[in-house]
Amino acid sequence: NAGVTQTPKFQVLKTGQSMTLQCAQDMNHEYMSWYRQDPGMGLRLIHYSVGAGITDQGEVPNGYNVSRSTTEDFPLRLLSAAPSQTSVYFCASSFVGTGAGGEYSPLHFGNGTRLTVT
Amino acid sequence: KNQVEQSPQSLIILEGKNCTLQCNYTVSPFSNLRWYKQDTGRGPVSLTIMTFSENTKSNGRYTATLDADTKQSSLHITASQLSDSASYICVVSVNTNAGKSTFGDGTTLTVKP
C-alpha cells in the first residue's frame, strides 16, 4: 500500500494563478481532509470529506475549493493564489464510524506539498 | 472555544536522557486524544490513541498518560535516541469524526549526541 500520496511536492505560483493539489489514498478510507501548516503554528483544517460526494468546510476554507468524486481522491484547488497561502499543505485520511478499525482510527498523512506564492 | 496547548514549545536534550512533553486541553465533550510524531519534511504519524477510560498507554519507549479530570496529557520518552528529534503534536477530538479534532502547535524536540 502506498498510503496517502500527495503531488506535487513543491510548487511556486505567482499571485493570481490557480492550481490543484492532488491527494490520493489506497486504504479505502471514508474520511479525507486538507490542512495547512505554517511556521510556529499547528495544523489548521481547510476542508474535509466523510465520503464521495460529501464535503464540508474546516477552520480556514476561504480561497480553497474541494470535491470528492471518488473514495480515493480529494483534490484541493486554489482559485486565485495569494502570498498568504504560502504554506505546507497536508492531506490526511482515516476510517470513520463505529466498530473495529473505525471509531478511533488515527489520521494517515501524506508528506505534504510545499507551496510558495510570490 | 476548544483549545489545545502544548509545552514546552521546544526542548533540547542529550541522547540517552528522558523527557516529558505536556498537553493541556479545553476540548469538550472529550472523545479521544492522540499524540503524533512529525519528522522534518514529513507528515505526522500517530504514536498513541487514548480514550476517556485510559490512564496510561505505551508504545515502545513512548508512554502517554491522560488525566481526564484535569484535562492534561503527557508524553514521556525514555532513553532518547537521535531519531526522536521531531515535532510532537497533541490532537484532541470531540467525537469519532476526525473533522472535529483540535490540534496543538506541537513541541519541537532536539536530541543531541
Side-chain angles (χ1 to χ4, degrees):
Chain A
N1 287 350
V4 178
T5 303
Q6 290 186 237
T7 56
K9 292 185 179 181
F10 301 93
Q11 183 70 49
V12 178
L13 292 178
K14 294 185 184 300
T15 297
Q17 287 185 317
S18 63
M19 78 158 295
T20 299
L21 280 62
Q22 301 292 342
C23 175
Q25 53 91 10
D26 60 358
M27 296 172 282
N28 204 30
H29 287 164
E30 303 97 335
Y31 178 86
M32 296 188 73
S33 54
W34 278 101
Y35 303 83
R36 61 177 290 173
Q37 187 174 42
D38 300 302
M41 298 183 68
L43 288 153
R44 291 184 290 169
L45 181 65
I46 304 172
H47 286 285
Y48 66 98
S49 168
V50 296
I54 305 170
T55 63
D56 206 346
Q57 294 182 350
E59 180 185 356
V60 288
N62 293 340
Y64 308 95
N65 273 358
V66 292
S67 60
R68 184 93 180 269
S69 57
T70 67
T71 300
E72 295 78 19
D73 300 298
F74 191 46
L76 178 72
R77 298 183 187 83
L78 278 70
L79 308 174
S80 177
S84 61
Q85 294 179 305
T86 293
S87 187
V88 181
Y89 291 84
F90 287 97
C91 178
S93 70
S94 72
F95 290 114
V96 172
T98 60
E103 185 162 356
Y104 300 115
S105 172
L107 288 166
H108 295 258
F109 286 85
N111 284 324
T113 294
R114 186 174 296 274
L115 175 68
T116 302
V117 182
T118 61
Chain B
K1 179 181 179 181
N2 290 333
Q3 288 187 316
V4 175
E5 295 185 355
Q6 292 187 242
S7 62
Q9 187 175 18
S10 62
L11 181 62
I12 300 174
I13 62 174
L14 292 176
E15 186 178 14
K17 298 296 186 182
N18 303 336
C19 67
T20 300
L21 314 180
Q22 300 289 343
C23 174
N24 296 341
Y25 61 92
T26 59
V27 175
S28 181
F30 176 86
S31 172
N32 63 82
L33 182 148
R34 306 181 181 112
W35 283 93
Y36 288 83
K37 179 187 180 188
Q38 184 177 20
D39 293 317
T40 300
R42 311 278 287 184
V45 175
S46 176
L47 290 174
T48 65
I49 299 175
M50 303 193 71
T51 61
F52 185 86
S53 60
E54 295 174 309
N55 298 117
T56 303
K57 183 175 284 187
S58 292
N59 177 3
R61 295 180 295 102
Y62 300 100
T63 299
T65 65
L66 175 66
D67 186 332
D69 292 330
T70 61
K71 299 187 177 181
Q72 295 179 328
S73 176
S74 65
L75 181 69
H76 186 74
I77 304 174
T78 304
S80 61
Q81 300 176 358
L82 298 179
S83 59
D84 292 330
S85 294
S87 178
Y88 292 84
I89 303 170
C90 177
V91 182
V92 184
S93 298
V94 296
N95 60 25
T96 57
N97 184 339
K100 303 298 183 184
S101 300
T102 302
F103 287 73
D105 289 346
T107 292
T108 301
L109 174 66
T110 303
V111 180
K112 293 196 170 184

